[in-house]
Amino acid sequence: QLQASGGGLVQTGGSLRLSCAVSGLNLDYMAIGWFRQAPGKEREGVSYITSSGRKTVYADSVKGRFTISRDNADNMVYLQMNSLNSEDTAVYYCASDLDSDVEAGGLNSVLYDYWGQGTQVTVSS
């Protein structure tokens, strides 16, 4: 129901745009979050966007560098990642749950019921 894509290998300072294609969910009610997991580390919340797109939240580690957006008409959510560095290297996942649950819990991954497979982002120095 969620499929992330757009990962790859990029040099430090470069940019990537991740895409999350959503199917089988009514995006009019669903927030979408992006998470990442680096080797040996716990899964980390990166950003989420509410169903209307009016509210976005970012982890401190990506504020000012990443931008989340969505196109409900096309059932797509995007994560524009700029000024990438080695600490951004991870598998990135998109996930979804109801606006109400997400706004109450923020970037807590346990709150999200629907997950896609990950896409690998590797930033080389």
Side-chain angles (χ1 to χ4, degrees), residues 1-53:
Q1 290 178 318
L2 293 96
Q3 185 165 350
S5 62
L9 176 64
V10 63
Q11 290 188 328
T12 297
S15 298
L16 281 174
R17 188 175 84 152
L18 303 184
S19 299
C20 178
V22 184
S23 61
L25 298 175
N26 188 337
L27 286 185
D28 290 340
Y29 305 102
M30 307 299 283
I32 303 293
W34 283 98
F35 296 82
R36 65 187 182 185
Q37 189 164 19
K41 294 188 177 181
E42 293 188 354
R43 188 168 294 187
E44 172 191 19
V46 174
S47 179
Y48 79 77
I49 185 168
T50 55
S51 61
S52 66

Side-chain angles (χ1 to χ4, degrees), residues 70-120:
R70 64 191 291 159
D71 182 343
N72 285 359
D74 287 340
N75 293 333
M76 296 293 295
V77 177
Y78 304 99
L79 186 68
Q80 178 66 43
M81 307 187 296
N82 299 328
S83 302
L84 288 163
N85 59 60
S86 59
E87 295 187 352
D88 297 316
T89 294
V91 178
Y92 284 70
Y93 301 87
C94 55
S96 182
D97 212 307
L98 293 170
D99 273 344
S100 54
D101 291 346
V102 170
E103 290 194 76
L107 290 171
N108 186 346
S109 63
V110 300
L111 297 175
Y112 291 73
D113 285 341
Y114 305 96
W115 288 82
Q117 91 296 347
T119 185
Q120 176 71 48

